[in-house]
Amino acid sequence: MTRTVIESKTRTTIIGFDQPFCVIGERINPTGRKILNEELERGDFSRVEADAIAQVEAGATVLDVNSGAVFSNKMGEDPRYADNNFVEPMLMPELIRVVQGVTDCPLCIDSSVPGALQAGLEAAEGRPLVNSVTGEEERLEVVLPLVKKYNVAVVAISNDDTGISEDPDVRFAVAKKIVQRAADYGIPAHDIVVDPLVMPIGAMATAGHQVFTLVRRLREELGVNTTCGASNISFGLPNRHGINNAFLPMAFGAGMTSAIMNPVALPVGPKAIAAKRAEVEAAGIVLPPDMDDETFVKLFGMGSTRPRPGKEMEAIRAANFLLNQDAGGAGWIRFNKDPDAEEQGGRAGGRRRRRA
């Protein structure tokens, strides 16, 4: 049975056919996150710490750490900052140390810069996952020796020097090539997690079916674990959570064993709360003057003022239960407990213990 072992200093995560679905938290990534990018340029890692903690609390069992920041302001001071080959090898170990300082969750070191991958591997405790290698010759020759040297697992993305093919047979052939080339370096198939590349279903109607078919082939013919950027499937479409919620259990049922995704439902912000309060007031609804924001957003189905597990995590937990990867449904029951009720129960219990 194929098992890919990812470790921190004190914790082990196993990606495998006989394991619960592995969620790789994607939030520690400055790409497309302007505020995070600006904070990192100032040396402020507080959001990284918060994102690490929130993702683990939401159910991530591996954290992806991406160093692809663009330090626009520093470029004026030093032109080297325009080159990611200069920036990322400095930033990656800092990110790794910050994340390891707040959680013992195993890590996935994510960069297109080989120097950043090596810097991250040197800073990481345990046995991280490397993200990633492709079928491009130059990439194979640079990344696979690192994977072998540090004895780690690697994400293998199914594109090569010709780009990303829309033909699933071509993408399978690229994955097979990577597995074979890895074997030449003494890297076993169980240390390769293939990303077959999920296409947006809005642009390609067969994208979902392609992935499910590819995942089955990768499992049955190559014996490898699989992953994907889960939100790619719904790109550009309305109600993306609805599509993601259907896609993830279906992919799991087809044999996919992990996904790189956001496990957190982001908190409702003060602007949204203020707008909703104004709407409620305009409708003539009278609320208790001392109603706090958390009670208010729950009452009106807005979510929560605190980070919580997202709907995708609900779908994954249900799939774990249905596919017999949740013994007795214990994980599902824990997941569906109201944390506020638990807090209140805990406080009440504490009072009882003190009185006793």
Side-chain angles (χ1 to χ4, degrees), residues 37-58:
N37 198 96
E38 291 172 349
E39 289 174 348
L40 294 178
E41 188 169 14
R42 297 196 304 269
D44 179 359
F45 293 89
S46 57
R47 193 177 300 270
V48 172
E49 293 177 336
D51 282 343
I53 293 168
Q55 289 183 105
V56 173
E57 289 181 346

Side-chain angles (χ1 to χ4, degrees), residues 74-91:
K74 289 189 175 182
M75 289 179 194
E77 306 167 9
D78 187 338
R80 290 179 298 174
Y81 279 96
D83 184 0
N84 271 28
N85 290 290
F86 176 74
V87 175
E88 293 198 42
M90 292 190 301
L91 180 60

Side-chain angles (χ1 to χ4, degrees), residues 73 88 93 95 148 150 165 196 226 243 261 292 300 323 330 350:
N73 294 326
E88 293 198 42
L95 290 169
K148 177 61 177 177
Y150 289 91
S165 175
T226 46
I243 295 173
M261 54 177 282
D292 59 72
F300 289 95
L323 291 171

Side-chain angles (χ1 to χ4, degrees), residues 334-351:
R334 284 195 305 272
F335 179 79
N336 284 282
K337 284 185 176 178
D338 185 344
D340 293 334
E342 282 192 347
E343 285 180 18
Q344 292 166 6
R347 286 195 294 270
R351 286 194 295 272

Side-chain angles (χ1 to χ4, degrees), residues 162-341:
T162 64
I164 300 173
S165 175
E166 293 188 0
D167 185 341
D169 290 332
V170 173
R171 300 209 299 277
F172 177 84
V174 174
K176 185 175 181 179
K177 169 188 172 181
I178 298 171
V179 171
Q180 291 173 339
R181 290 290 292 276
D184 292 340
Y185 284 90
I187 301 166
H190 65 250
D191 274 338
I192 300 172
V193 182
V194 173
D195 181 346
L197 291 171
V198 175
M199 305 293 189
I201 197 165
M204 182 187 295
T206 59
H209 183 265
Q210 279 192 10
V211 170
F212 306 144
T213 302
L214 260 172
V215 165
R216 290 189 189 98
R217 287 193 69 191
L218 290 164
R219 174 173 177 160
E220 293 167 5
E221 297 181 36
L222 299 184
V224 293
N225 282 306
T226 46
T227 194
C228 71
S231 63
N232 289 352
I233 192 70
S234 61
F235 182 78
L237 293 173
N239 189 14
R240 296 185 66 183
H241 292 295
I243 295 173
N244 297 344
N245 292 351
F247 170 75
L248 283 161
M250 291 175 75
F252 188 13
M256 187 170 281
T257 46
S258 68
I260 301 170
M261 54 177 282
N262 177 16
V264 181
L266 299 182
V268 183
K271 288 185 179 179
I273 294 171
K276 187 66 177 180
R277 283 188 181 275
E279 179 186 324
V280 168
E281 184 177 341
I285 300 172
V286 179
L287 298 173
D290 59 347
M291 179 178 285
D292 59 72
D293 285 347
E294 180 65 14
T295 303
F296 176 82
V297 298
K298 281 188 171 181
L299 178 64
F300 289 95
M302 297 175 68
S304 174
T305 59
R306 302 188 290 269
R308 295 285 178 92
K311 284 293 182 181
E312 287 86 347
M313 292 303 299
E314 181 177 295
I316 287 169
R317 299 285 189 179
N320 280 333
F321 191 9
L322 292 168
L323 291 171
N324 197 31
Q325 299 299 340
D326 177 9
W332 177 251
I333 292 168
R334 284 195 305 272
F335 179 79
N336 284 282
K337 284 185 176 178
D338 185 344
D340 293 334

